[in-house]
Amino acid sequence: MITNEKIKATEVQLTGLNGEDLGVVPTAEALAMAKKLKVDLVCTSLMSSPPPCKLMGAGAAKQEAQQARRQEAKENCAPKVKEIRLTPHIEEHDYDTKRSQAERILKSGDAVMLVVRIQGKEGAQAKELLERLIRDLSGEGSKKTGIQLSGKQAAVQLDPLQ
């Protein structure tokens, strides 16, 4: 981001403090106007001629750039997969707690891996429990994979709805 005296163009397309268009102005005049108002002259893009510039409060340009960088980083990072472990013989209150945990995670934008520990012949019960959870969470997320039964656990991953 180029500010004040670092702007080398002879004239700029100037936007005022409140967003009003001030037209094409010589750079020296725009700098004088910025000093008079005690604000910064900020060049928003170098891709056009004359370059568009804004009059912005001191420090506001840096803050705006930081917010843009934070937002971009947030959009670029992949969603995390958070695991919730259950057992096939879960009581109703515990089930509700785990369901609300999964809802909260899905609403925050992360994926949920629901894992049910299996002992002996509990595979059918684990599958029923996962199917019930998928039905109950269908408003917040959709399943990425089918229910996978493997050895001592059954698992399914739910991704947040976009």
Side-chain angles (χ1 to χ4, degrees):
M1 188 171 310
I2 301 171
T3 59
N4 299 330
E5 284 79 20
K6 294 177 185 169
I7 299 171
K8 300 293 181 195
T10 54
E11 49 186 27
V12 295
Q13 178 70 41
L14 190 60
T15 304
L17 283 170
N18 300 322
E20 68 274 7
D21 185 29
L22 301 175
V24 178
V25 179
T27 306
E29 190 178 316
L31 282 169
M33 196 181 302
K35 283 182 183 174
K36 181 180 162 192
L37 296 170
K38 295 182 180 170
V39 294
D40 289 330
L41 179 65
V42 180
C43 183
T44 56
S45 172
L46 294 173
M47 296 301 165
S48 61
S49 181
C53 292
K54 288 183 185 176
L55 293 174
M56 299 179 93
K62 285 183 182 177
Q63 189 175 3
E64 194 175 277
Q66 275 182 333
Q67 278 182 333
R69 273 196 302 263
R70 263 192 239 118
Q71 188 66 30
E72 188 176 307
K74 193 175 186 181
E75 290 171 0
N76 286 346
C77 76
K80 297 175 186 162
V81 178
K82 300 196 177 182
E83 185 175 298
I84 295 181
R85 295 180 183 173
L86 308 133
T87 59
H89 304 292
I90 190 168
E91 291 185 14
E92 200 58 36
H93 176 266
D94 295 333
Y95 174 84
D96 291 337
T97 303
K98 295 293 186 178
R99 183 185 46 74
S100 64
Q101 268 184 332
E103 278 179 16
R104 198 172 338 110
I105 292 168
L106 288 168
K107 285 180 182 174
S108 73
D110 292 328
V112 177
M113 177 72 77
L114 300 168
V115 178
V116 179
R117 300 282 176 204
I118 302 172
Q119 294 176 344
K121 298 181 179 178
E122 296 174 336
Q125 287 176 313
K127 192 170 182 179
E128 286 175 21
L129 177 64
L130 287 175
E131 286 170 351
R132 180 178 166 203
L133 267 168
I134 291 168
R135 265 194 320 275
D136 291 348
L137 294 170
S138 64
E140 282 78 30
S142 61
K143 63 181 180 177
K144 179 178 182 181
T145 60
I147 296 174
Q148 300 166 339
L149 288 166
S150 60
K152 296 183 179 183
Q153 70 180 23
V156 65
Q157 181 174 331
L158 299 177
D159 286 343
L161 295 175
Q162 299 300 338

